[in-house]
Amino acid sequence: MLISALIYGFTPVLCSITYSLGNTPLTLTFFRSFFAIPVLATLMKKDHISFKISSIELRKVVIVALFGAVFTTVLLYSSYQYIAVGTATTLHFLYPLFVTLICHFIYHDGLKKKQLIALLVSLIGVGFFINLQDLSAIQGVIMALVSGFTFSIYLVGIEKFGLSKMNSYKLSFYIASCVCVCLMIINTLSGQFNFDQPLLSYGLMVIIAILAQFLAVILLKEGISILGSSLASLFSMAEPVSSVIFGAIFLAESITIMQIIGCVMIMLGVSMLLKR
């Protein structure tokens, strides 16, 4: 479980390196899914999993793919161009709080006092990352926050649409396929893809796909089966902390006292929410 969190915390570093080689968030998001499709298809065939999907299931998959993979990934990857990867990952990690709010206001789940306190503590933590004198940084903060919100819609959709019952390889295969189709349409309209990149950039995107789409997911599922979802969620909080550390080591990103305080407060708020 801890290794999974560290992998998720390290991949943003690779994303930032590809940007220096001419990559773009849309291109990276496309190839992360594109490189995953043949591997997922191979795994499905190996396990004799049917590729058949109903029209109703497909519509649901398209919705969660748009929010969970297209919007979330593009926004989060775009934020790396404006703010440090550790800051972006920490802000994105507010998604458990967004899940709580969506379930409360839309699905009328109960909202406890502890959850309200956790929300307040986390929002105060976000305030420590906002520098009103740097408009580009504010843009990055907003992108990272919205990526957490769209990811929370994805998580709620997986549960409420009943997609959690679908085989994980099959679900990932169709989500990755939807991402590729959606981004090809976006590229046709905007022309924001950049295929003219060095081999190193393509190699890093393959590594990102393998780490984020396969290894980390497998380890995460194994961790949940051994530890349970609650304890596993607490271990996953190592992800934003590791992003801050990896960003400082590999990208020479500075870490301010304000950011440390903000990171601690957000992690405290999320831990309050995840603790039973």
Side-chain angles (χ1 to χ4, degrees):
M1 187 65 219
L2 183 59
I3 297 175
S4 173
L6 293 176
I7 290 173
Y8 279 128
F10 177 69
T11 50
V13 172
L14 301 181
C15 295
S16 294
I17 294 174
T18 67
Y19 292 153
S20 66
L21 298 172
N23 205 359
T24 66
L26 285 176
T27 310
L28 177 55
T29 304
F30 172 80
F31 278 110
R32 170 177 162 170
S33 295
F34 180 77
F35 290 138
I37 290 174
V39 181
L40 288 166
T42 301
L43 292 172
M44 287 177 65
K45 287 185 176 181
K46 176 178 174 293
D47 292 347
H48 305 289
I49 300 167
S50 173
F51 284 86
K52 186 177 181 180
I53 185 171
S54 69
S55 59
I56 296 176
E57 288 177 325
L58 183 59
R59 284 197 294 269
K60 292 177 180 179
V61 169
V62 170
I63 293 173
V64 298
L66 279 173
F67 283 99
V70 177
F71 297 155
T72 296
T73 310
V74 170
L75 284 167
L76 183 59
Y77 285 177
S78 296
S79 70
Y80 298 155
Q81 298 176 311
Y82 301 97
I83 57 178
V85 296
T87 300
T89 306
T90 301
L91 295 171
H92 170 77
F93 210 73
L94 282 168
Y95 68 80
L97 293 170
F98 293 136
V99 169
T100 300
L101 292 175
I102 291 173
C103 290
H104 173 69
F105 287 106
I106 296 180
Y107 295 98
H108 308 294
D109 291 352
L111 190 62
K112 299 178 181 178
K113 181 179 178 181
K114 181 180 69 173
Q115 294 171 320
L116 290 173
I117 296 174
L119 176 61
L120 178 61
V121 170
S122 297
L123 289 177
I124 293 173
V126 171
F128 284 94
F129 286 100
I130 298 176
N131 180 6
L132 296 177
Q133 296 178 344
D134 188 348
L135 294 179
S136 66
I138 294 175
Q139 184 176 353
V141 168
I142 292 173
M143 286 180 175
L145 285 173
V146 176
S147 77
F149 178 71
T150 56
F151 188 64
S152 68
I153 295 176
Y154 162 76
L155 292 176
V156 173
I158 289 289
E159 177 187 357
K160 301 300 183 180
F161 287 170
L163 293 176
S164 57
K165 299 176 183 178
M166 186 182 294
N167 177 273
S168 57
Y169 290 150
K170 183 176 181 178
L171 179 60
S172 297
F173 172 82
Y174 278 105
I175 286 178
S177 300
C178 288
V179 170
C180 289
V181 172
C182 290
L183 288 180
M184 285 304 297
I185 294 173
I186 292 173
N187 178 56
T188 301
L189 298 174
S190 64
Q192 295 185 32
F193 274 20
N194 179 19
F195 295 108
D196 184 18
Q197 299 184 49
L199 287 177
L200 176 58
S201 182
Y202 280 99
L204 289 174
M205 284 192 284
V206 171
I207 294 174
I208 291 169
I210 293 173
L211 290 177
Q213 296 286 93
F214 300 107
L215 186 56
V217 171
I218 291 172
L219 291 172
L220 177 63
K221 290 177 68 177
E222 286 297 318
I224 291 174
S225 65
I226 296 173
L227 301 174
S229 58
S230 297
L231 187 56
S233 297
L234 293 175
F235 272 101
S236 69
M237 291 175 62
E239 178 185 338
V241 176
S242 65
S243 291
V244 173
I245 296 173
F246 287 137
I249 294 174
F250 294 102
L251 301 176
E253 293 178 345
S254 60
I255 305 176
T256 66
I257 296 297
M258 297 290 280
Q259 289 174 329
I260 293 175
I261 296 174
C263 184
V264 170
M265 294 197 71
I266 290 175
M267 292 301 97
L268 177 61
V270 174
S271 66
M272 290 171 62
L273 183 68
L274 295 177
K275 253 185 172 180
R276 297 295 182 184

